[in-house]
Amino acid sequence: MSDPGTGAEPASGRFAGLVVGAYAASPAHRSWDPVVESEFFEALAATAGVGALELPWSGSIHPHDDGWLHRRFPAALRAVVTDIPFTMGRIATAPEYGLASVEAGGRQAAVAEVRRLLDGVRAFDHAQARSVVGVVELHSAPKGSRGSADALARSLDEIAAWNWGDVELVLEHCDAWREGRAPEKGFLELTDELDAIERSGADIGVSLNWGRSVIEGRTTDTAVEHARLAAGRGLLKGFIASGVADTDTEFGPAWIDAHLPFAPSPQILHGTTGSLMTERAVADVVTAAGRLEWAGVKVGCARADAPLAERVALVAEAVAVMNRILADDTR
């Protein structure tokens, strides 16, 4: 990995384009409509600069219909699978659940779930007769003192020993626990996650999400600091631009992980007023990161009744902004 601060190289090592956190803007994620979801996927596949879609693991590879996804996922795209939806749902009823759990039962249950996720990835690849999934994002739950770097290292050692084929495993850093503050995720510190990876000896990297780092520190500087730290230890693989606000917006209260679009500007017509995610703020992270194997965007749509065209335009604009940032940083 190149020296942080010398300028990012194009994110082309893993995908032929950017990763799009598609489910955040999907018109059919919560209320299932396979026809509308097909149109949404087809529109994203036709959007210049898109190389992969991030899919949510919710106990299955698709929240509603695995068979539909196996048949209808765009042949031109690959996928990133994140286990954060399942993890957050599970810890809501079982607070000890997670790969970093100091309680053996909680840790073992999380490891077993990752094994199920691997089975889902294999079934997806088999159905498409190709290597669809390029990255799986894991997380260092549970919250606060229920987790430790040592426990996480044990889990990573077990998981990395399985045959993942072409899949790259990463720990996606989320906001760490802060006393006196209600966290969005509240998992381990980034330093603990990096330590756990190194102790395990596993071939696992780290990915960062701009909004989740900013939520942790309550400042955009935290995202830059995280990029420098992970890159400096040679473990930073991917980066997703996803916004957050320090004030109430149409997405809800301040500091929630709602995947806000970029802030409005003369070049950004679909921006969200109040979003802290500006082109400059993301460019600073990209510069600090050095070479990224992959990068992407994850933006939501605040209006539940927003038409498909509006959602696609929102994503396409974010993709164009991110590609502009990556291109400018290599000049």
Side-chain angles (χ1 to χ4, degrees), residues 235-310:
L235 291 173
L236 182 57
K237 302 296 183 180
F239 170 67
I240 296 290
S242 183
V244 69
D246 60 357
T247 185
D248 293 356
T249 69
E250 58 186 328
F251 283 82
W255 301 120
I256 63 170
D257 187 17
H259 318 302
L260 275 63
F262 282 89
S265 77
Q267 293 77 37
I268 301 176
L269 303 181
H270 295 86
T272 294
T273 300
S275 174
L276 297 174
M277 190 169 71
T278 64
E279 287 188 64
R280 182 68 264 163
V282 171
D284 287 344
V285 175
V286 169
T287 299
R291 187 184 185 281
L292 291 164
E293 291 192 8
W294 51 274
V297 295
K298 187 174 186 177
V299 294
C301 184
R303 288 178 48 221
D305 62 348
L308 181 66
E310 181 178 326

Side-chain angles (χ1 to χ4, degrees), residues 137-152:
E137 296 171 312
L138 306 175
H139 298 83
S140 65
K143 297 182 178 182
S145 60
R146 293 181 181 271
S148 76
D150 286 341
L152 179 60

Side-chain angles (χ1 to χ4, degrees), residues 97 99 106-119 158-159 162:
Y97 175 88
L99 295 177
R107 190 186 72 79
Q108 291 165 1
V111 171
E113 184 60 30
V114 176
R115 185 69 197 215
R116 290 185 61 231
L117 190 160
L118 173 56
D119 291 341
E158 293 179 43
I159 291 166
W162 305 336

Side-chain angles (χ1 to χ4, degrees), residues 111-324:
V111 171
E113 184 60 30
V114 176
R115 185 69 197 215
R116 290 185 61 231
L117 190 160
L118 173 56
D119 291 341
V121 166
R122 288 174 174 169
F124 191 14
D125 285 355
H126 178 75
Q128 290 252 318
R130 65 187 179 104
S131 176
V132 185
V133 179
V135 172
V136 166
E137 296 171 312
L138 306 175
H139 298 83
S140 65
K143 297 182 178 182
S145 60
R146 293 181 181 271
S148 76
D150 286 341
L152 179 60
R154 289 196 294 276
S155 296
L156 298 181
D157 181 58
E158 293 179 43
I159 291 166
W162 305 336
N163 180 12
W164 287 89
D166 188 46
V167 174
E168 175 184 86
L169 294 175
V170 296
L171 273 178
E172 183 192 38
H173 179 67
C174 297
D175 62 293
W177 181 267
R178 292 290 180 271
E179 291 294 337
R181 181 193 301 171
E184 280 290 88
K185 304 296 187 290
F187 299 160
L188 292 183
E189 299 283 348
L190 178 58
T191 52
D192 288 332
E193 293 170 342
L194 297 171
D195 288 347
I197 292 172
E198 291 175 348
R199 289 177 202 170
S200 72
D203 185 16
I204 294 177
V206 166
S207 67
L208 297 176
N209 177 299
W210 189 88
R212 289 169 181 167
S213 289
V214 174
I215 288 170
E216 177 179 315
R218 296 292 198 262
T219 170
T220 60
D221 292 341
T222 308
V224 177
E225 293 165 3
H226 283 172
R228 286 179 178 150
L229 177 58
R233 291 175 66 167
L235 291 173
L236 182 57
K237 302 296 183 180
F239 170 67
I240 296 290
S242 183
V244 69
D246 60 357
T247 185
D248 293 356
T249 69
E250 58 186 328
F251 283 82
W255 301 120
I256 63 170
D257 187 17
H259 318 302
L260 275 63
F262 282 89
S265 77
Q267 293 77 37
I268 301 176
L269 303 181
H270 295 86
T272 294
T273 300
S275 174
L276 297 174
M277 190 169 71
T278 64
E279 287 188 64
R280 182 68 264 163
V282 171
D284 287 344
V285 175
V286 169
T287 299
R291 187 184 185 281
L292 291 164
E293 291 192 8
W294 51 274
V297 295
K298 187 174 186 177
V299 294
C301 184
R303 288 178 48 221
D305 62 348
L308 181 66
E310 181 178 326
R311 295 169 183 273
V312 173
L314 181 73
V315 173
E317 182 177 68
V319 167
V321 172
M322 190 64 186
N323 272 323
R324 184 163 63 243

